[in-house]
Amino acid sequence: MDIITMTWYDFKKYFQDKKAVFFMMVMPLIVIFLVSYAISPLFYTNSYIDKFKIAIVDKENSIETRTLINHFESSESLKNLAEVIHTDYEYAVQLMDKDEIAAIIVIPEHFSEDVAVGKNTPVTVIGNRNKPVQSQIIKAMMTSGADLVTAAQSGVNTIWDFLKKAGASSEKLNQWFNKSVMEFSLKSLGRNQVFVKKVVSPIADISPFEYYSISIIVIFMLFNGMSGLRILIEEKHSEVLKRIISKGISVWKIILSKFISLFLFQLIQSFIIFAVLVLAADRYLRGNSMNAALVLAVIVVAVSSFMIFIASCVNSIFLADMIAYIGILTMAFIGGSIIPLTYLPASIEKVSFLSINKWAAQGLIYSVFWNRQDIVITSIGVLVLLSVVCIIGSIFSLARTAR
């Protein structure tokens, strides 16, 4: 009965300031919206660099070169990378002088004829020194294409020589010659290989959206848990705690009541955050909703017990806030919420098991976005263990400081 009374008393304290409660409930939604808006380009676009312009000068202007240029421009990678301007050489130079284009690609006269007979007639690429990154990308792309043209010419010659030695007719030779020239040329100059796209995920098959959306929510939940620091420390200063203990109420009952009241308060807010995540990321959800709700509740247990432990160890609200801030940021770092553990030294990964962030993020990811029961159970088990350690530590610490 004592626990219920104290829990209810503390729980009402959280709701005494109606404005503070309102902002506490609304702020998570605002923060999540702003963060999502800021990082959404990372998840919904494939842009690696700001789009820029290049000029193509086709001095031959034949069916063959127009076909090659059209094939070149139809590349999805090039469309996302650059806007192509067709012009003459003089105007292209003027555009470069004004820094309006990053490079000029000049296709010389008789280019297609020279390629067909194996003559080395290079395409000229002029880069803009004021746009070094963009011009180097175009240069690298064209150099790679030129190397492939050389290989293509060798392939064409090989086909010709083989068919000629095999005794093919002139008609057959011309047919295969034209076919091989066109196929090799289109392959080399109209390629869709500006970038080789390879998705490297920080945790197994998890996408960046899934990983960082959960990491942000876990960090926010930890910062929100700091609201539980004040009540216990204020009671220490006001001697309320000693009076409660003097009436024969055990320290473990006090800790448990503080924990339950903070847990209930945090649970309400956390489920609001969770509901927003579900609505915003509905198309990504492939997990189990019951598992996700259970993991969320266990995360709140871990966060609440961690904050109660800090409050039981120190008597200064300022010091408690500082310890909480440092602890949250440290756990975020060693737990991979800022930089995935895959990219961190092995020594940090060894201590990451102490971080609430690691197990909280792992549990939510594999219950919300993926249905991996084994990983979810492991995450819940470790979070419960960390919570028990914090609660036991809080009881011993408060018993020592409240004497």
Side-chain angles (χ1 to χ4, degrees), residues 27 89 120 173 237 392:
M27 279 307 293
Y89 182 77
N120 184 16
L173 283 171
H237 285 295
I392 293 174

Side-chain angles (χ1 to χ4, degrees), residues 22-70:
F22 174 76
F23 282 110
M24 201 169 289
M25 294 299 179
V26 173
M27 279 307 293
L29 308 182
I30 296 174
V31 171
I32 290 174
F33 172 77
L34 292 176
V35 171
S36 301
Y37 180 78
I39 65 177
S40 59
L42 298 177
F43 304 132
Y44 298 111
T45 67
N46 294 317
S47 178
Y48 302 90
I49 189 170
D50 290 338
K51 202 167 183 179
F52 55 90
K53 295 179 180 180
I54 61 173
I56 293 183
V57 178
D58 184 5
K59 290 187 175 182
E60 179 177 325
N61 194 26
S62 63
I63 295 175
E64 289 80 5
T65 55
R66 287 197 296 271
T67 301
L68 292 174
I69 291 171
N70 181 63

Side-chain angles (χ1 to χ4, degrees), residues 29 48 81 104 138 164 189 199 222 266 268 324 334 342 372 389:
L29 308 182
Y48 302 90
L81 183 70
I104 302 172
I138 296 299
K164 190 174 182 180
L189 295 178
V199 177
L222 279 160
Q266 289 292 109
I268 296 171
I334 67 173
T342 309
R372 288 288 302 275
V389 170

Side-chain angles (χ1 to χ4, degrees), residues 58-125:
D58 184 5
K59 290 187 175 182
E60 179 177 325
N61 194 26
S62 63
I63 295 175
E64 289 80 5
T65 55
R66 287 197 296 271
T67 301
L68 292 174
I69 291 171
N70 181 63
H71 202 72
F72 177 71
E73 289 184 69
S74 65
S75 162
E76 285 299 322
S77 294
L78 187 67
K79 286 180 181 178
N80 294 330
L81 183 70
E83 178 184 339
V84 177
I85 299 172
H86 297 270
T87 184
D88 56 48
Y89 182 77
E90 288 73 19
Y91 185 64
V93 172
Q94 291 178 21
L95 292 175
M96 181 171 287
D97 290 339
K98 296 177 182 177
D99 284 338
E100 293 184 16
I101 58 175
I104 302 172
I105 299 173
V106 182
I107 300 177
E109 296 178 356
H110 311 299
F111 174 75
S112 58
E113 296 175 11
D114 292 346
V115 169
V117 298
K119 183 179 178 181
N120 184 16
T121 303
V123 171
T124 303
V125 180

Side-chain angles (χ1 to χ4, degrees), residues 299-315:
I299 293 171
V300 177
V301 168
V303 171
S304 301
S305 59
F306 177 66
M307 294 304 167
I308 295 298
F309 174 68
I310 294 175
S312 66
C313 292
V314 298
N315 295 321

Side-chain angles (χ1 to χ4, degrees), residues 259-322:
F259 164 75
I260 294 173
S261 61
L262 179 59
F263 168 77
L264 293 174
F265 182 68
Q266 289 292 109
L267 194 65
I268 296 171
Q269 195 173 25
S270 298
F271 271 100
I272 292 175
I273 299 172
F274 186 69
V276 173
L277 172 66
V278 170
L279 291 174
D282 180 63
R283 67 192 180 106
Y284 292 94
L285 305 183
R286 301 180 294 277
N288 185 297
S289 57
M290 293 299 295
N291 284 344
L294 179 60
V295 171
L296 190 73
V298 174
I299 293 171
V300 177
V301 168
V303 171
S304 301
S305 59
F306 177 66
M307 294 304 167
I308 295 298
F309 174 68
I310 294 175
S312 66
C313 292
V314 298
N315 295 321
S316 166
I317 293 176
F318 174 77
L319 182 59
D321 285 340
M322 288 299 297

